Amino acid sequence: MRLSNYFMPVLKETPADATIASHQYMLRAGMVRQQSAGIYAWLPLGHRVLKKIEQIVREEQDKAGAVEMLMPTIQSADLWKETGRYDAYGPEMLRITDRGDREMLYGPTNEDMITDIFRSYVRSYKSLPLMLYHIQWKFRDERRPRFGVMRGREFLMKDTYSFDIDEAAARKSYYKMFVAYLNTFARLGIQAIPVKADPGPIGGDLSHEFVILAESGESGVFCHSDLLEMAAPGEVDFDSDLSDHVDKRMALYAATDEKHDEAAFAAIPKDKQMSARGIEVGHIFYFGDKYSGPMKADVMGSDGKPHTIMGGSYGIGVSRLVGAIIEASHDENGIVWPKSVAPFGVGIINLKSDNEDTNAVCETLYSQLSKAGVDPLYDDSSDRGGVKFSRMDLIGLPFAVTVGPRGIKEGVIEVKNRATGERQSLTPDAAAKFLISEFTS
Ligand code: P5A
C-alpha cells in the first residue's frame, strides 16, 4: 500500500476523552472513529488488524472441529421468551419493534437462536458432537461504555456453541475449546491466563475467563505464576484426551477479584504468587440443559430414548482484542504490533520523495516485499522525515526501512525493529532478503 493512496487520518493531538494507551493510540493512528457512545467506525488501518485477529480466531476454531456459519444480528424476542431470558436480560438488551409491532432485539449473544436452529434439524446422537460458531457483531447497551473498543456497545464476538449427548461428552467439547483458546491467544502474540469465573447471565456451573495482563485491566487477577510459564499446546489431535493441557492449568490457583479466595492464594509458595490487573478477552461456559431444557432440544440416544442435549458456549472478544493487544504491547512512542496481527509487515520511509535514487530503491523494495507477501506500507508522502518517523512508530509496524540519499551513496538503507529498537544498515538486496525471511520463517 502506498500512503498516498491510503486513508490513514493520523491525529497530532491526543483526544481528551481517551484515558488509556490503546484508546489514545487507536484514535491517533486513525484506526477507529467513535460514531456514538461505544459505537465505532473501523477505519482502514483498524479494519486490517480486526480482520487479521478474526482470521487467526477462525483458523483455530476450524482446527478444533468447530463449523463456521453466520446468524443474524437482529433476533425475534419470541425465542428469548421461550428460554426466559427476555425479561432476565434487563436494560443491556437493545429492544426494537418492527413496523408490524413485533418485538425484536439486537442480539447480545446467540444461545437461544442456535438452540432453535439445532432443534429444528438434529434428531440423533449420531450427529453429535457438534460445535457451531460465527463471528458476528453484538450489541449490549453497557451502562458505561469506555476504553474505546474494549468496552463498546457494538462489538465483534466469535461465539461457538457445543452440543453433546451427555455431560461427559460436553466436558470434552469444553476441553477442546479450552485448548483452542490457548493456541489462539498464543498466535495473537499475547499471554492469556485461564481463570475460574462466574457464569453470570449466560448461566451454568463451569466457566473460565481468559485474561491478559495489563495495568489498565478492569479486574484484579491473582494466580500461580507457573500459569504464565506454560507453553501453548500447539498442534494437537483434538480427538485425543486433552486433559494433559487443561487439568494442569485448572489445578493452579487463578481468580479475578470477584471470586478471589485469600486463603487459597496464600497457600501458593510466596515466590510463585502473582497479582496484577487483567483484561478479559475470552469467556467459556458449560451450562448443560439451561437452554435445551426449556427449548426441548432432544436427540435420540443409542439407547433409543430421547436425551436433552448438554450445551456450552465459548466467546472471544474479537474487537476488544485490538485494544487489549495494544494494552499489552506498546511504548511511549506508540503501538508495537505482534507480527501475526500487524496491519502491515514493513513500513518503507522515503526520506526524499523528490529524489530519483531514493525513489528507485523504494520502488524496487516495495515490489519485492509485495511479491513476497510481506505487505509493505510505503510512505511516499512529501512530509518531513521527523513526521514520517513518528507516524511509523505510532502505527507500530514490526519493521521500518529508511531510505535516504546519504545512505544510498554508501549503498545502504536502514532497517529498524520496532520492538527492540535495533537498527541495521544493509544493502537494499540484503534488507529485502532479511525482511522476507522474518515473515516466512
Ligand atoms: C459466550 C459466547 C458470552 O456472551 N455467549 C456466547 C457467551 N460471553 S461473554 O463473556 O459475555 O462475552 C464473550 C466475550 O466478548 C467480549 N465482550 C465485549 N467486548 C467489547 N465490548 C463489550 N461490551 C463486551 N462484552 C463482552 C469479551 O471479550 C468477552 O470475553
Side-chain angles (χ1 to χ4, degrees):
M1 183 65 67
R2 288 168 203 273
L3 196 60
S4 56
N5 287 335
Y6 204 44
F7 181 64
M8 195 176 87
V10 167
L11 307 178
K12 282 205 194 74
E13 313 283 322
T14 299
D17 56 335
T19 54
I20 61 169
S22 61
H23 191 192
Q24 294 173 348
Y25 288 151
M26 286 182 76
L27 294 173
R28 278 189 48 209
M31 292 177 64
V32 290
R33 180 168 191 275
Q34 183 175 305
Q35 296 301 130
S36 298
I39 301 178
Y40 290 84
W42 291 80
L43 304 178
L45 193 72
H47 183 245
R48 276 188 167 244
V49 179
L50 187 69
K51 288 286 153 187
K52 289 214 164 172
I53 295 173
E54 181 183 319
Q55 185 55 22
I56 290 174
V57 169
R58 172 179 291 118
E59 286 169 14
E60 295 303 319
Q61 287 298 300
D62 294 348
K63 277 187 204 160
V67 181
E68 187 170 11
M69 60 181 294
L70 186 60
M71 288 177 269
T73 54
I74 306 290
Q75 308 186 20
S76 155
D78 295 346
L79 292 173
W80 288 70
K81 289 182 177 163
E82 237 185 287
T83 58
R85 278 216 288 184
Y86 194 58
D87 295 328
Y89 220 93
E92 264 196 16
M93 182 184 275
L94 180 64
R95 296 155 206 261
I96 309 163
T97 43
D98 69 8
R99 65 203 296 167
D101 262 347
R102 277 174 291 263
E103 290 175 288
M104 314 289 283
L105 56 99
Y106 194 122
T109 178
N110 286 67
E111 282 84 1
D112 318 74
M113 183 179 282
I114 195 81
T115 306
D116 176 57
I117 293 173
F118 178 91
R119 72 174 168 187
S120 310
Y121 298 106
V122 183
R123 299 273 169 264
S124 158
Y125 72 96
K126 289 180 189 157
S127 306
L128 305 182
L130 179 64
M131 291 195 286
L132 297 169
Y133 78 98
H134 73 163
I135 301 173
Q136 178 62 294
W137 293 91
K138 307 286 187 285
F139 194 93
R140 293 183 186 174
D141 203 350
E142 299 275 351
R143 186 197 300 273
R144 276 188 74 196
R146 58 185 181 147
F147 300 154
V149 299
M150 293 230 279
R151 182 167 295 282
R153 294 199 296 165
E154 189 185 45
F155 60 97
L156 188 61
M157 190 200 288
K158 184 286 300 173
D159 36 329
T160 307
Y161 303 89
S162 65
F163 302 91
D164 283 284
I165 192 73
D166 58 23
E167 181 169 339
R171 282 184 191 261
K172 274 192 196 152
S173 297
Y174 191 90
Y175 275 42
K176 282 185 191 174
M177 280 298 128
F178 198 108
V179 167
Y181 276 35
L182 294 172
N183 284 336
T184 302
F185 296 124
R187 276 187 68 191
L188 294 173
I190 51 181
Q191 176 91 43
I193 308 168
V195 173
K196 199 154 176 38
D198 202 346
I202 308 292
D205 63 357
L206 177 60
S207 174
H208 286 85
E209 279 177 25
F210 288 76
V211 172
I212 68 172
L213 302 181
E215 277 162 36
S216 60
E218 287 193 283
S219 26
V221 184
F222 303 84
C223 74
H224 193 297
S225 62
D226 281 2
L227 278 168
L228 288 162
E229 311 297 323
M230 293 179 184
E235 293 287 321
V236 296
D237 173 3
F238 277 94
D239 291 322
S240 67
D241 183 9
L242 298 173
S243 18
D244 247 15
H245 302 291
V246 179
D247 290 347
K248 72 173 179 201
R249 287 181 166 86
M250 287 192 186
L252 292 174
Y253 182 79
T256 56
D257 28 23
E258 290 163 23
K259 285 208 126 191
H260 183 45
D261 174 349
E262 208 38 77
F265 187 60
I268 302 172
K270 269 253 161 350
D271 60 326
K272 297 277 186 185
Q273 291 178 7
M274 221 266 322
S275 74
R277 309 291 305 167
I279 303 166
E280 177 199 322
V281 288
H283 201 157
I284 61 178
F285 305 82
Y286 167 66
F287 46 67
D289 61 1
K290 175 170 165 144
Y291 303 94
S292 54
M295 296 186 84
K296 302 203 173 37
D298 298 343
V299 298
M300 201 58 78
S302 55
D303 54 6
K305 295 187 183 132
H307 293 250
T308 303
I309 65 98
M310 294 292 153
S313 69
Y314 314 85
I316 290 183
V318 177
S319 51
R320 171 177 290 185
L321 271 164
V322 181
I325 292 171
I326 297 173
E327 284 303 318
S329 185
H330 69 268
D331 63 18
E332 66 284 1
N333 298 319
I335 304 166
V336 182
W337 288 116
K339 267 189 212 160
S340 59
V341 299
F344 296 94
V346 175
I348 302 174
I349 294 176
N350 186 348
L351 277 185
K352 235 177 163 355
S353 59
D354 55 1
N355 177 300
E356 272 178 31
D357 297 334
T358 60
N359 283 351
V361 170
C362 286
E363 288 296 338
T364 307
L365 186 62
Y366 180 70
S367 91
Q368 285 170 321
L369 295 179
S370 303
K371 275 197 200 110
V374 169
D375 232 350
L377 177 66
Y378 175 17
D379 187 342
D380 56 350
S381 71
S382 56
D383 294 334
R384 282 187 299 109
V387 171
K388 295 187 179 187
F389 290 133
S390 53
R391 180 164 57 211
M392 214 45 104
D393 277 347
L394 172 66
I395 68 170
L397 309 184
F399 294 95
V401 184
T402 303
V403 180
R406 217 174 314 148
I408 299 274
K409 279 208 188 96
E410 294 162 18
V412 294
I413 59 181
E414 188 193 76
V415 177
K416 184 179 120 181
N417 180 313
R418 177 69 180 84
T420 63
E422 186 196 345
R423 296 162 196 270
Q424 332 174 42
S425 283
L426 298 171
T427 65
D429 271 343
K433 271 211 190 78
F434 166 75
L435 291 166
I436 292 168
S437 76
E438 279 292 316
F439 285 90
T440 44
S441 56

